[in-house]
Amino acid sequence: MAWSVIEATPPHLTYLILSAFLILYALFSSFIRNRLHLSEPPLATVLGIIIGPNVLNIIDPRAWGLEDSITQELARVVVGVQVFTVGVDLPKAYFNRHWKSVGMMLGPVMVFGWIIVALFVYLLLRTDVPTALIVSACLTPTDPVLAASVLSNSQFSNRVPRRLRHMLSAESGCNDGVSFPFLYAGIFALTAGSAGESIKEWILETILWQCVFGLAMGAIIGVMANRVLRFSYGNGYIDDSSFLVFYILLAIFSIGVGSTLGSDDFLIAFGAGTGFAWDGWFAKKTAEAHLPNVIDLLLNSSMFVYFGATIPWSRFTPSESTPYVTPGRLTILLLLILVFRRLPIVLAMKRFIPDIKTYREALFCGHFGPMGVGALFLAIEARAQLETGTARPLPSPPKTSPHESAIAIIRPVICFIVLGSTMVHGLSVAAISVGSHYTKEVNERTPLIGGETQGLSGMIHEGGGGESEPSVSGDEDPDRNN
């Protein structure tokens, strides 16, 4: 009789398992981050794989009717909130001083990565050029969710010069939105009737409406929200709890504006966050609240559990539409992307990026270009455009389509690369920490492996070279002229 009242349904088990995972992580978060040097995404992904349909089969989002449109909206919210958070956390008026470094990462570095990855996709998977450009565009941006999991406050992140952390955060906040021109260049090349029509649509719709208008609209939203909040706070109209909630609500509002207007959601969200915190007032008021860490634990970890449970393992093998998609070819593609997507161009451009002072720093920045939730969103966006000509994907890929091979290849390739990147970049902190431990003289090592707290060797950590930014955007900049 007692057992009949138990309702161990998949949704109920999901609530139980996901919350238990987050509780355990929270209880041991300092130990996991600062001693094991592990971040949430790889652990959450492994959990999703284990409880997903291919292992324990406790949860199966597809069986619940959670189709790509749901995944698209989940990814939109997660990435949008994260890029908004990046904009808020940057030092005040950051781009006035560091526009050149971020511009180089968003310009030559992204363009090189887009072209070289497209070349690998074209040669290994035997696609046509537009399809290779589309797949490559999905993998071009640095994922802000994975970046935040490593660059946020931890023992390891404190060993990296602050200017590098800020530059990589700013890059990850911008480039999910900046990747839209790369994505739509491939889409228009595949679907438009003529080269002139493709260029016209790309300039008017993608560059001007989505990017330029989106960034300007986001900045306006952010600045206006800052002034309204300061007025309300100054007159005692808002209480402390609502003051903190305002942060999340503004991020979601920005995403809603972008998606409703058909503009670039992520540039609007990032612009709103940057404009909202441009003067540093909000960040100074909420410095002790640790809002980004809360977002990482709840929103981002849940997304990676969901990703782990929805990985299309059966699609990593050849099919009629994707005859060259094999585990071996995908593994080679992953390795080539990890080595050549960013490392060569960042090393080559080191002298033109003011915030990168040494080649060891260039090596670190070149390696640290994770691909994650943003790539998943762009993959669904690309599929939707090829299926329906809109941003709304079909519940499942159509059986007949003039772009059947392109539609079929996007999701498995992106999911495989995101899985590999999540593991490699998520575990690279532990590898770097252990490696730096054993490269020291025996008498200089800490008792615990990877327990070092001093700055990473080969990087400049003092004065304008390392501490050129305030700890929060509301502090005064000690080296404003550097």
Side-chain angles (χ1 to χ4, degrees):
M1 183 67 179
W3 290 104
S4 64
V5 302
I6 294 178
E7 298 182 2
T9 63
H12 297 170
L13 289 174
T14 301
Y15 309 148
L16 176 65
I17 295 172
L18 181 58
S19 60
F21 167 74
L22 295 178
I23 288 171
L24 286 173
Y25 186 91
L27 288 172
F28 300 98
S29 57
S30 180
F31 175 78
I32 294 172
R33 275 181 168 272
N34 299 326
R35 289 294 178 264
L36 300 181
H37 300 289
L38 297 175
S39 56
E40 302 98 322
L43 298 177
T45 301
V46 170
L47 174 65
I49 294 172
I50 293 173
I51 65 178
N54 292 285
V55 183
L56 297 181
N57 197 26
I58 295 174
I59 64 171
D60 185 358
R62 296 281 171 181
W64 303 351
L66 299 185
E67 299 162 345
D68 280 351
S69 59
I70 303 297
T71 305
Q72 180 186 35
E73 297 309 320
L74 289 174
R76 188 195 307 275
V77 171
V78 169
V79 177
V81 170
Q82 191 63 65
V83 298
F84 180 90
T85 301
V86 169
V88 170
D89 284 349
L90 287 174
K92 62 181 181 181
Y94 176 82
F95 287 97
N96 281 353
R97 302 182 300 281
H98 299 274
W99 61 269
K100 185 175 180 181
S101 293
V102 178
M104 295 301 293
M105 300 300 287
L106 296 177
V109 172
M110 282 191 72
V111 171
F112 176 86
W114 180 47
I115 294 173
I116 197 70
V117 172
L119 179 63
F120 294 149
V121 172
Y122 174 77
L123 294 176
L124 276 172
L125 304 182
R126 309 289 179 87
T127 68
D128 53 44
V129 172
T131 300
L133 292 174
I134 293 171
V135 172
S136 176
C138 298
L139 301 171
T140 296
T142 298
D143 188 66
V145 179
L146 282 168
S149 70
V150 176
L151 297 175
S152 59
N153 189 33
S154 67
Q155 181 175 303
F156 176 82
S157 67
N158 291 331
R159 301 181 65 193
V160 180
R162 197 178 294 159
R163 63 187 151 74
L164 293 185
R165 300 202 309 265
H166 289 150
M167 183 190 73
L168 291 172
S169 292
E171 180 201 2
S172 70
C174 293
N175 63 11
D176 273 284
V178 174
S179 62
F180 273 68
F182 300 105
L183 180 68
Y184 278 89
I187 291 173
F188 290 147
L190 189 62
T191 60
S194 65
E197 182 182 348
S198 298
I199 295 172
K200 178 183 176 181
E201 291 185 26
W202 186 72
I203 292 175
L204 294 179
E205 294 183 17
T206 308
I207 300 297
L208 296 180
W209 180 253
Q210 293 194 355
C211 294
V212 176
F213 171 78
L215 189 59
M217 175 60 69
I220 292 171
I221 291 173
V223 171
M224 291 179 62
N226 176 283
R227 293 181 179 178
V228 171
L229 182 61
R230 294 190 70 156
F231 171 80
S232 181
Y233 183 84
N235 288 278
Y237 297 151
I238 188 170
D239 57 31
D240 291 340
S241 59
S242 298
F243 186 84
L244 293 176
V245 170
F246 188 88
Y247 172 97
I248 302 297
L249 295 179
L250 182 59
I252 296 175
F253 175 79
S254 304
I255 298 166
V257 170
S259 56
T260 302
L261 295 179
S263 189
D264 192 326
D265 321 59
F266 303 144
L267 278 182
I268 287 184
F270 179 73
T274 304
F276 182 60
W278 187 260
D279 60 0
W281 174 78
F282 182 81
K284 193 170 186 179
K285 291 290 183 183
T286 59
E288 300 302 320
H290 301 294
L291 286 174
N293 294 337
V294 175
I295 293 172
D296 285 347
L297 182 60
L298 291 177
L299 202 59
N300 302 343
S301 297
S302 300
M303 183 64 202
F304 277 95
V305 172
Y306 178 84
F307 166 64
T310 58
I311 294 173
W313 299 99
S314 62
R315 302 279 297 279
F316 298 154
T317 55
S319 68
E320 185 177 349
S321 301
T322 58
Y324 297 101
V325 174
T326 66
R329 287 176 182 266
L330 289 174
T331 301
I332 294 172
L333 178 64
L334 171 64
L335 295 175
L336 289 173
I337 289 173
L338 292 175
V339 174
F340 293 104
R341 171 172 159 261
R342 284 170 60 96
L343 273 171
I345 188 63
V346 174
L347 288 170
M349 300 297 295
K350 174 252 176 189
R351 59 180 294 189
F352 303 107
I353 305 175
D355 283 329
I356 297 180
K357 307 292 184 182
T358 70
Y359 281 103
R360 183 69 64 84
E361 293 178 0
L363 193 65
F364 176 82
C365 294
H367 163 72
F368 193 74
M371 297 155 283
V373 182
L376 299 177
F377 176 85
L378 292 172
I380 298 175
E381 177 84 8
R383 217 195 80 193
Q385 290 291 337
L386 296 177
E387 290 174 351
T388 66
T390 70
R392 297 182 295 277
L394 296 174
S396 59
K399 296 188 180 299
T400 58
S401 169
H403 313 299
E404 180 181 354
S405 60
I407 293 170
I409 204 171
I410 291 173
R411 184 164 183 257
V413 173
I414 299 305
C415 285
F416 189 93
I417 302 300
V418 168
L419 175 62
S421 177
T422 301
M423 295 304 164
V424 171
H425 291 105
L427 299 177
S428 61
V429 170
I432 294 172
S433 299
V434 172
S436 65
H437 176 86
Y438 283 107
T439 55
K440 295 181 178 297
E441 298 293 335
V442 175
N443 60 349
E444 296 178 353
R445 297 173 186 170
T446 59
L448 291 173
I449 297 176
E452 285 79 8
T453 57
Q454 65 269 36
L456 293 174
S457 62
M459 299 183 181
I460 298 175
H461 298 270
E462 299 176 353
E467 300 300 328
S468 61
E469 297 292 351
S471 57
V472 297
S473 63
D475 292 344
E476 291 302 319
D477 188 343
D479 288 302
R480 183 170 296 279
N481 295 323
N482 285 350

